[in-house]
Amino acid sequence: MTAEVTEQPDVRPAAVEVHDVHKWYGTQRVLGGVELTVRPGEVTVVIGPSGSGKSTLLRVINHLEKPEIGHVSLNGEPIGVRRHGGRLKELSERAILAQRSQIGFVFQNFNLFPHLTVLDNVAAAPVATGRLSKPEARELARTLLGRVGLADRTAAFPRQLSGGQQQRVAIARALALRPGVILFDEPTSALDPELVGEVLAVIEDLATSGTTLLIVTHEIGFAREVADRVVFMDAGRIVEQGPPAQVLDHPAHERTRDFLSKVL
């Protein structure tokens, strides 16, 4: 007789939790009460029209922007603040930087150091944070550059690379600190169309490896292929979320249907 196997629930804290986050720029509200949970190993893709707050949400998660109301937690611990007597108190910049090193961030425009080689761009953060010696960091960088298909470009400078190659270096750099989650802010928006595929292939490889990813993108087909969950945002709020087949093929909200009718 075969014993019945009962699947155990995942009791680990969420990789990322966004708690009732509000953000204004002057009088303009860009986030209005966002609630979002990303489970460990989950690939969450955020879609929506320009100006809907998607990129701001990523910057708040990484504490590059401070919310006026609400907070973000990473693995159960608040980012940028600490609990003190039932209230949240702002951390020092040094403590925030230490927390931020647990979150990889891949920007739209690569943000590589132009005066450093590809190898040293990837090795810089582990050395700066004291996690690895320079020889150890350079060895890790070689491994990661091989993973993104750039093992033969370690000595090149960013200006000598295509946009797609620069973005792959940026992904390797994000991986170098072994973050718990990686945020991608429209990683293909600055690329020529023929270079988009090479970057999406690297992200898809990460998605299948169990890395926790939160991706803002306009690539709806890519979202359909790699996402565990699709989140649709509009006007600073999450309108709906769910599996790709639900949100992209059978959206429940009229605003989602209207958006998808224009981009599909």
Side-chain angles (χ1 to χ4, degrees):
M1 182 176 178
T2 302
E4 183 177 345
V5 177
T6 303
E7 184 176 344
Q8 297 298 314
D10 188 347
V11 296
R12 295 174 295 174
V16 176
E17 288 182 284
V18 180
H19 305 273
D20 189 30
V21 162
H22 296 251
K23 177 67 183 176
W24 284 267
Y25 293 137
T27 59
Q28 180 186 5
R29 187 187 70 179
V30 290
L31 295 176
V34 174
E35 295 271 355
L36 179 65
T37 299
V38 179
R39 306 304 308 179
E42 185 177 66
V43 179
T44 300
V45 174
V46 184
I47 62 172
S50 296
S52 59
K54 306 183 302 295
S55 294
T56 301
L57 174 61
L58 293 192
R59 293 177 67 84
V60 167
I61 289 172
N62 204 34
H63 213 70
L64 292 170
E65 298 281 357
K66 180 182 175 182
E68 276 74 32
I69 300 172
H71 71 281
V72 176
S73 295
L74 177 70
N75 299 323
E77 291 297 321
I79 292 290
V81 294
R82 63 180 174 87
R83 294 185 178 92
H84 181 73
R87 303 182 66 182
L88 295 175
K89 184 177 179 181
E90 186 80 8
L91 290 176
S92 68
E93 186 60 30
R94 183 173 182 176
I96 291 172
L97 288 173
Q99 287 186 327
R100 197 175 286 150
S101 69
Q102 303 174 57
I103 306 173
F105 203 125
V106 178
F107 298 86
Q108 296 180 35
N109 296 309
F110 326 135
N111 285 14
L112 300 178
F113 297 114
H115 62 290
L116 296 181
T117 65
V118 164
L119 186 71
D120 288 334
N121 261 283
V122 177
V127 174
T129 57
R131 294 192 182 185
L132 296 175
S133 67
K134 188 171 183 178
E136 290 171 334
R138 289 169 67 87
E139 185 60 32
L140 174 63
R142 289 187 182 93
T143 299
L144 293 174
L145 288 166
R147 183 175 179 180
V148 300
L150 292 171
D152 60 339
R153 303 310 306 271
T154 58
F157 288 89
R159 65 179 180 275
Q160 298 172 311
L161 304 179
S162 69
Q165 290 172 326
Q166 289 186 60
Q167 193 61 295
R168 284 188 279 155
V169 173
I171 293 171
R173 180 181 60 184
L175 289 167
L177 286 173
R178 298 184 175 96
V181 60
I182 303 180
L183 313 177
F184 291 85
D185 186 9
E186 298 189 17
T188 61
S189 65
L191 301 179
D192 292 333
E194 65 268 23
L195 302 177
V196 168
E198 67 186 65
V199 172
L200 294 183
V202 171
I203 300 173
E204 186 169 359
D205 177 66
L206 291 177
T208 58
S209 71
T211 307
T212 307
L213 307 178
L214 182 56
I215 307 166
V216 167
T217 185
H218 291 293
E219 302 286 342
I220 303 298
F222 175 71
R224 189 189 304 277
E225 289 295 322
V226 307
D228 296 304
R229 189 154 47 104
V230 173
V231 175
F232 174 67
M233 289 187 68
D234 186 48
R237 295 180 179 272
I238 293 177
V239 176
E240 67 176 291
Q241 58 183 299
Q246 173 189 317
V247 175
L248 300 179
D249 297 331
H250 305 286
H253 199 282
E254 181 179 353
R255 181 66 187 95
T256 315
R257 292 194 293 271
D258 179 62
F259 171 77
L260 291 171
S261 72
K262 296 173 181 176
V263 299
L264 291 178

